[in-house]
Amino acid sequence: MEKGKGKISIRQVMFLFVVTVYTPSVRFVAGYSAGKAKQAAWLTPLVTLIPFLVLIYVLNALLQKYKGLSFMDIIYDVTSRFWGKIILLLYLVWLTVLLALYVRFYAERLVTSIYPNVNMNLFTISMLLIVAIIIRAGIVAIARMNEIIFLIELFVILSLFLLMIPTIKTDYLTPISSMDIVPVMKGSIGNTGLIYITYLFFFSDRFSRTKEFIRYSLYAGIFLWLVSTIIIITSVGTLGHSIVGRSPLSFLIAVKNISLLGVLSGFESILVASWILTDFILIIVFTYSIMNITKSLLNLRDFKPFINIFFVILYLLTWILGVNVFELQAFSADFAIQMNLLMQVIVPILIFFIAKIRKKV
Amino acid sequence: MITLSKVGDEMKKIRTDIINLNKKVDLPMEVESFKGLFANSHDCVFTEVMINKELTVHLVFVDGLANCTNVMDFILKPLTTLEKFTNIKDEKKLIDVIKGGSLYYISVKETNDVNLAVELLLMGTAVLILKEAKIAFLFETRGFESRSIQVPTEETSLKGSKDAFVETLRTNTAMLRRKMRTPDLVIEELIVGKVSKTKVSVSYIDGIANDQLVKSLRERLKKIETDQVLFTTVIEEEIIDSQYTPFPQVEYTEKPDKFCSALLEGRIGIIIDGIPFTMIIPTSIVNFFQTTDDYSHNYIVVSIIRGIRYLLAAVALIVPAFYVAITSFHLEMIPEGLALSVISTEKGVPFPIFIECILLSIAFQTLIEAGARIWSSIGGMVSLVGALIVGEAAITANFISPGVVVVVAAAAIANYTIPNKDFAFAIWIWEIILILLSSVIGLYGMVIGIILLIHHWAQMEVMGEPYLAPFAATDGRNSKDAIIRSLFVFKKKESLDEQSKINE
């Protein structure tokens, strides 16, 4: 059980981390990696483990030093209140943009996969409405929900992987040589840009059992490495890197190719259904982080009255971001990944170094 | 003081006070006080016992509650025949003789409190009133007719014990003691209900059960303000945290072995006098998928069966909604042959698929309800008529398509595999909700329904314990026995207290 009321354990945090990373991974990782590393794309998650381990070390050092405090409080203490507010404002703006991107992607994905000719507003508004209702239950209920959704997701991904094994062609995944080192490194940027663990630290004051952070982070890292590799292997192995590199929903197309005993097909419906679950978790977790930043920036006691206003802004932003899915993809690959690298990897490392210089950690 | 002459209206008022307000009344310890209180009750027996010519006492007991043979043989007979009594000239001497143990009865109590005497009288005690001394002796003569221990009717067991709880509290607690011969088994008792004054027992294993949990339950039970505890929900609704849910939060059992097993897990049991079903708390979702037979069979077989139970519960919940979504919105997702088959079976049916599903699902529940309520002599007719109407006539008349019958029947049968019927019924309610949501916007609606259901479960707690445990919120503890039943040799009995220590 969670220690204390309103707290979640590190294990639950890691489940949140895994599910929030899984959602964009399915959509983005295979295409990005295949575009850069071709047939060696399936090795890119392995390289991502290196920056992940560095980030884990940094975050653990901060977490152990500032027990019971949120990332906002850590930034204030390390950089001063003024600079802290500026950094947090940047985080707020970027996370809002990122969330708008994901809300739009989620709606686009539904329309392009199983709901052609349906107005996207239906999906956007209904999802925001549900998130607005459920977020009021707090992070404890969200973390519990996520644990169940994680189990469903695990079952779905493993089942699909087993069913897709016959469709995987090893020719699409080989040969691998030393010539692939640089492309694999480039391809791993896509994975690295999705390490969303830093964003979860905006509610690190709600974490309990922080001593187990390293252990569970390693488990989560290994799990994500395996899942990302499975996604890439099944996508590239079924369709080939040239198709995967160009198609927006390569994993869905690969799943469409499944035919059990030549009779049963249509497994993409299960995949799409599971995506809605993980998209929900991603949206609600990011919203919770944004709400916590807002609360800290504006010195609010409670963020609940602000939720409805925020969702109106977010809804408008989802339409400003791009006209169609291609613009969104371009925004995602050319800007969002780099920004993510900066905000979730480089900034925490910088804060750690400043803290070191100031002998705070 | 109320004089004895004011029996009429005064007594009625006092009686009302006792019943409605649980108020203590100030009455003298005289037989007239009892006669006033039980003026119209023909089952209350007032006997004047003439010990000798100079000494008369009164004996009061409730016929049916007290054992008349015991009253005669161990109270009346010695008082009127033994020389040590017949020679007594005054009440003072009589008191000394009784106190000296000449009326050899196990439990004898002396009192001058009418309230206490009335309370015990209604539990089967015989009251011997000594008018001059204004005291009474209370003899524990309880002995009413009760059902003997029988085979459980609702929880069948293949290899487990075959005894079931009965309506008598003391018989039930004795069954517990027989199964667990340890002084650590604590059986506390409280009286709940202003009118019924029902005995409610709280059982737990000292050292295993969480002290805070026991204390919290005790307080909740003490706070109950009700006239009667004739039904379990009177207690249940007062001790649960989430009121607005169809999902059960208390586990019921009629099997003492299951009850004892729950106590050993650190949970708390409640036995209500007069009800052959006991309650166990706290509960979580996993408890509703387990049976006592799980521990009587091979662990590999049981683990597979448990896994199937969860899978079938998911089938019962999702499959009808999935069918509605796919056939109404996403026909392109199913193989061509299957899609054509579905379309052909729908020809001529006037209702949309979701209406068919809901109607048929309700029809199945109607059959179950009818089967449960109907007289046993014509019970077989329900299934016959049901099968004819639902299975044959409805299809022939083009009311319902065969595809829908197959899907809803599969879901209904899957639902029956859930061991806990309250949980199964709650799943059925959510099945209908999911069908409605998927009828609005297909697969998306169904998933939204699932999100809402998971959220509903995630918010629920029973006495502070998460409803989704051990699948969520327990950090993996206690998950060993959730789906895969571990071998007993490897099963560590981890008490809740130990768990809380780990949490620290």
Side-chain angles (χ1 to χ4, degrees):
Chain A
M1 197 172 50
E2 304 97 335
K3 190 190 172 189
K5 282 273 170 197
K7 295 232 172 190
I8 57 171
S9 68
I10 283 295
R11 191 173 183 263
Q12 289 178 305
V13 174
M14 287 306 151
F15 277 128
L16 284 172
F17 167 56
V18 164
V19 175
T20 49
V21 173
Y22 165 80
T23 310
S25 292
V26 166
R27 176 186 55 81
F28 176 77
V29 160
Y32 189 89
S33 306
K36 303 277 181 193
K38 313 278 188 252
Q39 78 284 352
W42 56 277
L43 288 170
T44 56
L46 197 63
V47 180
T48 308
L49 281 176
I50 299 161
F52 175 74
L53 290 175
V54 174
L55 187 62
I56 288 306
Y57 171 77
V58 166
L59 290 175
N60 183 57
L62 294 171
L63 190 67
Q64 299 311 326
K65 175 67 189 170
Y66 295 96
K67 270 182 188 149
L69 295 181
S70 67
F71 197 46
M72 288 86 76
D73 298 321
I74 297 171
I75 293 172
Y76 289 144
D77 188 65
V78 172
T79 63
S80 81
R81 202 144 185 98
F82 173 76
W83 286 108
K85 292 258 179 195
I86 290 172
I87 294 167
L88 284 178
L89 193 66
L90 287 172
Y91 267 115
L92 178 70
V93 172
W94 173 240
L95 263 176
T96 309
V97 171
L98 196 63
L99 180 59
L101 180 74
Y102 283 132
V103 171
R104 182 70 189 278
F105 259 130
Y106 136 82
E108 288 277 0
R109 191 158 56 183
L110 278 174
V111 171
T112 50
S113 58
I114 57 169
Y115 286 101
N117 304 321
V118 176
N119 192 331
M120 263 190 289
N121 279 323
L122 178 73
F123 304 116
T124 312
I125 293 169
S126 59
M127 179 56 84
L128 293 182
L129 210 65
I130 284 165
V131 170
I133 295 165
I134 293 179
I135 202 168
R136 287 164 210 273
I139 193 66
V140 174
I142 296 167
R144 287 178 190 174
M145 285 180 77
N146 179 66
E147 284 181 84
I148 302 300
I149 289 171
F150 170 78
L151 290 175
I152 297 170
E153 213 53 51
L154 189 67
F155 178 74
V156 169
I157 197 99
L158 286 178
S159 309
L160 291 177
F161 177 62
L162 290 174
L163 292 168
M164 283 164 88
I165 287 174
T167 64
I168 296 168
K169 295 183 185 81
T170 46
D171 294 351
Y172 289 154
L173 302 167
T174 50
I176 306 293
S177 70
S178 55
M179 301 284 282
D180 293 313
I181 292 173
V182 175
V184 165
M185 299 280 266
K186 282 182 183 171
S188 70
I189 293 170
N191 295 313
T192 313
L194 300 178
I195 307 171
Y196 289 148
I197 196 156
T198 308
Y199 299 152
L200 305 186
F201 268 66
F202 289 113
F203 48 90
S204 60
D205 53 329
R206 300 297 183 92
F207 296 176
S208 66
R209 297 168 177 248
T210 48
K211 280 182 185 171
E212 295 169 333
F213 182 75
I214 289 279
R215 181 160 70 103
Y216 280 114
S217 299
L218 290 175
Y219 291 159
I222 292 165
F223 180 82
L224 279 172
W225 164 61
L226 282 171
V227 168
S228 304
T229 308
I230 284 173
I231 291 167
I232 298 169
I233 284 177
T234 47
S235 304
V236 178
T238 307
L239 304 169
H241 67 82
S242 54
I243 296 174
V244 173
R246 288 181 179 87
S247 57
L249 293 169
S250 54
F251 191 64
L252 183 78
I253 299 165
V255 170
K256 274 185 178 176
N257 285 340
I258 297 173
S259 178
L260 188 63
L261 304 169
V263 182
L264 275 177
S265 57
F267 288 94
E268 68 273 18
S269 56
I270 297 167
L271 183 69
V272 171
S274 74
W275 277 353
I276 302 168
L277 290 173
T278 52
D279 276 328
F280 161 76
I281 290 295
L282 177 81
I283 294 167
I284 202 164
V285 168
F286 272 33
T287 308
Y288 194 79
S289 291
I290 291 167
M291 287 296 115
N292 274 291
I293 298 172
T294 313
K295 197 173 104 176
S296 173
L297 273 175
L298 304 177
N299 296 324
L300 298 173
R301 274 180 147 194
D302 189 10
F303 62 71
K304 281 172 191 165
F306 192 69
I307 293 170
N308 298 341
I309 305 160
F310 173 74
F311 277 132
V312 173
I313 298 165
L314 188 72
Y315 171 72
L316 295 172
L317 199 60
T318 56
W319 288 103
I320 296 167
L321 274 178
V323 178
N324 53 40
V325 73
F326 300 106
E327 276 190 24
L328 290 176
Q329 275 173 341
F331 178 80
S332 183
D334 301 336
F335 184 69
I337 286 296
Q338 286 74 7
M339 271 304 285
N340 269 336
L341 273 176
L342 175 74
M343 301 302 276
Q344 70 189 2
V345 182
I346 296 168
V347 171
I349 291 172
L350 280 175
I351 286 169
F352 173 72
F353 278 120
I354 295 167
K356 270 272 179 204
I357 292 162
R358 293 188 168 187
K359 293 183 179 167
K360 302 240 178 197
V361 287
Chain B
M1 276 291 216
I2 296 161
T3 57
L4 296 180
S5 56
K6 293 179 181 175
V7 168
D9 291 344
E10 198 82 30
M11 278 300 175
K12 271 186 187 170
K13 189 183 170 296
I14 292 165
R15 211 161 48 225
T16 314
D17 281 350
I18 291 175
I19 292 166
N20 293 338
L21 305 171
N22 219 11
K23 201 190 254 179
K24 301 284 178 199
V25 291
D26 191 10
L27 285 172
M29 182 55 83
E30 290 170 353
V31 72
E32 282 75 9
S33 304
F34 289 84
K35 281 182 177 170
L37 289 168
F38 297 96
N40 298 322
S41 302
H42 292 269
D43 60 339
C44 198
V45 180
F46 298 90
T47 310
E48 194 174 336
V49 186
M50 192 180 275
I51 296 172
N52 53 46
K53 283 179 184 172
E54 289 153 46
L55 190 60
T56 304
V57 291
H58 288 90
L59 186 72
V60 185
F61 63 93
V62 179
D63 190 16
L65 290 181
N67 185 326
C68 291
T69 316
N70 285 357
V71 173
M72 276 196 298
D73 292 351
F74 300 108
I75 303 169
L76 286 176
K77 208 171 168 184
L79 277 175
T80 51
T81 56
L82 287 180
E83 265 188 43
K84 59 173 90 168
F85 286 109
T86 51
N87 292 336
I88 293 169
K89 302 291 178 194
D90 58 82
E91 283 189 353
K92 196 172 175 292
K93 180 75 179 157
L94 180 65
I95 292 165
D96 292 340
V97 174
I98 293 174
K99 278 183 176 174
S102 295
L103 277 180
Y104 35 91
Y105 218 88
I106 304 164
S107 175
V108 186
K109 206 181 274 179
E110 184 192 336
T111 184
N112 58 1
D113 183 1
V114 174
N115 297 296
L116 176 70
V118 168
E119 195 180 316
L120 293 176
L121 178 74
L122 291 170
M123 289 178 185
T125 299
V127 182
L128 186 73
I129 303 162
L130 278 69
K131 192 177 176 181
E132 297 297 319
K134 296 208 185 302
I135 62 156
F137 284 98
L138 309 172
F139 297 90
E140 169 63 67
T141 51
R142 202 179 312 189
F144 43 81
E145 290 297 318
S146 64
R147 195 164 60 92
S148 59
I149 297 169
Q150 286 166 340
V151 176
T153 52
E154 303 301 320
E155 294 170 275
T156 50
S157 177
L158 293 176
K159 287 187 192 169
S161 67
K162 302 280 185 188
D163 53 347
F165 285 121
V166 291
E167 285 79 359
T168 322
L169 178 74
R170 197 51 67 224
T171 312
N172 293 340
T173 54
M175 274 195 270
L176 298 184
R177 289 275 179 212
R178 278 185 59 213
K179 286 186 192 295
M180 289 197 291
R181 297 172 205 277
T182 167
D184 290 335
L185 170 65
V186 181
I187 301 174
E188 293 180 8
E189 271 177 19
L190 298 103
I191 302 287
V192 185
K194 274 188 273 184
V195 180
S196 67
K197 296 198 190 307
T198 311
K199 275 188 181 176
V200 176
S201 152
V202 177
S203 315
Y204 57 92
I205 308 275
D206 195 21
I208 296 181
N210 187 321
D211 292 340
Q212 283 300 110
L213 212 62
V214 175
K215 195 180 163 198
S216 166
L217 177 67
R218 206 182 288 133
E219 280 167 8
R220 285 180 197 212
L221 286 172
K222 277 179 186 167
K223 278 182 192 166
I224 295 176
E225 293 231 344
T226 179
D227 287 341
Q228 48 82 16
V229 187
L230 301 175
F231 312 100
T232 51
T233 44
V234 177
I235 299 285
E236 183 186 330
E237 284 167 12
E238 293 290 338
I239 58 173
I240 56 172
D241 296 319
S242 311
Q243 301 284 351
Y244 306 105
T245 175
F247 289 96
Q249 293 163 74
V250 173
E251 197 182 353
Y252 286 94
T253 184
E254 56 176 343
K255 284 172 65 61
D257 53 351
K258 188 176 177 179
F259 190 88
C260 291
S261 173
L263 298 191
L264 285 165
E265 285 169 9
R267 295 157 78 196
I268 308 166
I270 299 172
I271 310 173
I272 304 166
D273 193 24
I275 296 172
F277 283 90
T278 57
M279 302 157 89
I280 302 165
I281 50 158
T283 49
S284 70
I285 205 162
V286 78
N287 299 122
F288 303 114
F289 284 89
Q290 294 176 349
T291 67
T292 38
D293 258 5
D294 288 0
Y295 300 96
S296 307
H297 296 283
N298 177 282
Y299 73 101
I300 298 170
V301 176
V302 168
S303 301
I304 293 167
I305 290 172
R306 274 191 189 171
I308 291 171
R309 273 186 213 139
Y310 285 102
L311 195 69
L312 289 175
V315 165
L317 181 71
I318 292 168
V319 164
F322 190 75
Y323 182 78
V324 170
I326 293 289
T327 52
S328 308
F329 292 87
H330 316 287
L331 262 179
E332 76 286 352
M333 280 187 162
I334 51 177
E336 199 180 302
L338 189 61
L340 287 171
S341 172
V342 168
I343 293 163
S344 65
T345 58
E346 283 298 321
K347 265 185 188 168
V349 178
F351 305 113
I353 292 174
F354 85 95
I355 294 280
E356 286 179 62
C357 278
I358 290 171
L359 285 177
L360 201 60
S361 197
I362 291 170
F364 268 106
Q365 282 301 325
T366 311
L367 282 176
I368 295 168
E369 189 59 19
R373 307 278 162 242
I374 206 162
W375 306 295
S376 57
S377 56
I378 56 166
M381 287 300 290
V382 176
S383 53
L384 189 69
V385 172
L388 275 175
I389 291 173
V390 177
E392 281 294 322
I395 296 169
T396 315
N398 263 351
F399 283 162
I400 287 160
S401 66
V404 171
V405 173
V406 171
V407 169
V408 177
I413 292 164
N415 189 296
Y416 301 153
T417 61
I418 300 170
N420 187 290
K421 292 304 147 210
D422 293 335
F423 194 86
F425 198 81
I427 286 286
W428 175 74
I429 291 171
W430 272 91
E431 177 194 315
I432 300 289
I433 294 170
L434 292 192
I435 290 172
L436 287 171
L437 285 168
S438 61
S439 73
V440 177
I441 188 158
L443 216 50
Y444 179 73
M446 188 190 86
V447 178
I448 292 298
I450 292 169
I451 290 174
L452 293 174
L453 175 60
I454 298 172
H455 173 243
H456 182 64
W457 282 337
Q459 274 196 307
M460 280 172 69
E461 286 187 356
V462 182
M463 305 276 301
E465 295 291 314
Y467 197 65
L468 281 174
F471 301 116
T474 57
D475 274 4
R477 279 191 305 283
N478 292 337
S479 58
K480 272 182 270 179
D481 199 36
I483 298 178
I484 296 169
R485 205 213 84 191
S486 54
L487 278 168
F488 277 111
V489 262
F490 297 124
K491 202 172 166 189
K492 188 187 165 201
K493 289 282 177 200
E494 194 180 64
S495 71
L496 293 178
D497 269 346
E498 281 172 328
Q499 282 179 32
S500 59
K501 273 175 200 164
I502 292 165
N503 286 346
E504 284 161 19

